[in-house]
Amino acid sequence: MILLGAPGVGKGTQAELLCRRHGWRHLATGDLLRAAVKAGTSLGSRAEAIMARGDLVDDTVILGLIEEEMERAGSEGVVLDGFPRTLAQAEGLDALLKKRGEVLNRVILLTASEEEVARRMKARGRPDDTAETVRHRLQVYEKSTEPLVRYYEPKGVLRRVDGLGTVDDIHARIESVVGV
Ligand code: AMP
């Protein structure tokens, strides 16, 4: 399953809840990259400045990371959070799933207004949540990630979920469209 939506819309929180409930594995590329930065790996040192600017890390790097993590997950269900973020990543994921004989069950698009996600990011206070970076990340989302809606919609897997309300309300809405 994929959780799609603007930065700050609540994908991480909702992915956690879904994984706790269903025993799925939460795979968040942002978390993996932040861990790599903290550990000082070569991936981390390559990604650090890009993340601080709010730009996207190279597709091939991200796809390599995902392939590794999917191997680690084995046959467990996986919730992808913050990936795919570009058309190339979505196509790479399709190829990877095909190779693994797996299918994409659902793409949940979490929606909220730009003002609301900007407010949530400011409240979160991550180093890449400064006003200027937030603005840039929202632009990157609109340009590179939002077009994925048109990629997944014809496949019949996309469901839109209103991302406004309490964490529990949103979780219940997602559960009702998960379809497993
Ligand atoms: P996130 O925690 O999902 O908001 O991601 C934080 C930052 O990590 C992003 O602003 C990007 O710089 C980088 N990042 C995370 N996931 C991806 C991805 N799938 N593709 C490219 N860059 C990513």
Side-chain angles (χ1 to χ4, degrees):
M1 184 155 92
I2 295 171
L3 283 185
L4 195 63
V9 79
K11 299 186 296 295
T13 304
Q14 294 301 328
E16 280 296 329
L17 289 176
L18 281 165
C19 289
R20 208 180 304 153
R21 181 159 189 175
H22 298 277
W24 295 329
R25 185 181 279 243
H26 180 191
L27 227 163
T29 41
D31 290 349
L32 293 168
L33 291 169
R34 277 184 290 278
V37 169
K38 207 170 164 197
T41 64
S42 63
L43 167 64
S45 55
R46 258 185 298 166
E48 192 169 14
I50 300 170
M51 293 171 76
R53 286 199 305 271
D55 284 324
L56 295 182
V57 174
D58 191 73
D59 289 330
T60 51
V61 172
I62 296 289
L63 282 166
L65 193 62
I66 285 288
E67 181 155 17
E68 242 171 62
E69 290 297 322
M70 295 282 274
E71 248 151 56
R72 205 164 289 163
S75 58
E76 279 178 59
V78 167
V79 177
L80 296 166
D81 156 15
F83 171 90
R85 255 177 161 94
T86 64
L87 195 57
Q89 291 181 17
E91 288 168 349
L93 175 64
D94 277 349
L96 179 62
L97 290 174
K98 196 169 174 195
K99 191 168 97 181
R100 294 172 55 86
E102 292 172 341
V103 292
L104 185 59
N105 279 310
R106 277 278 178 270
V107 178
I108 308 286
L109 174 66
L110 271 180
T111 61
S113 69
E114 195 163 305
E115 295 75 43
E116 177 62 17
V117 296
R119 195 187 62 74
R120 289 185 194 176
M121 276 194 275
K122 272 173 209 148
R124 193 168 63 174
R126 244 169 41 191
D128 58 345
D129 285 340
T130 62
E132 194 188 325
T133 318
V134 163
R135 215 176 309 122
H136 183 59
R137 284 161 63 208
L138 288 171
Q139 283 168 358
V140 170
Y141 173 76
E142 271 167 34
K143 180 169 172 282
S144 304
T145 309
E146 211 162 41
L148 294 183
V149 172
R150 291 196 296 279
Y151 180 80
Y152 287 117
E153 197 135 57
K155 296 179 189 286
V157 288
L158 188 89
R159 299 290 181 274
R160 285 180 172 76
V161 170
D162 180 1
L164 273 190
T166 68
V167 167
D168 288 343
D169 285 345
I170 300 161
H171 176 64
R173 282 178 212 144
I174 294 176
E175 283 293 335
S176 72
V177 300
V178 158
V180 289

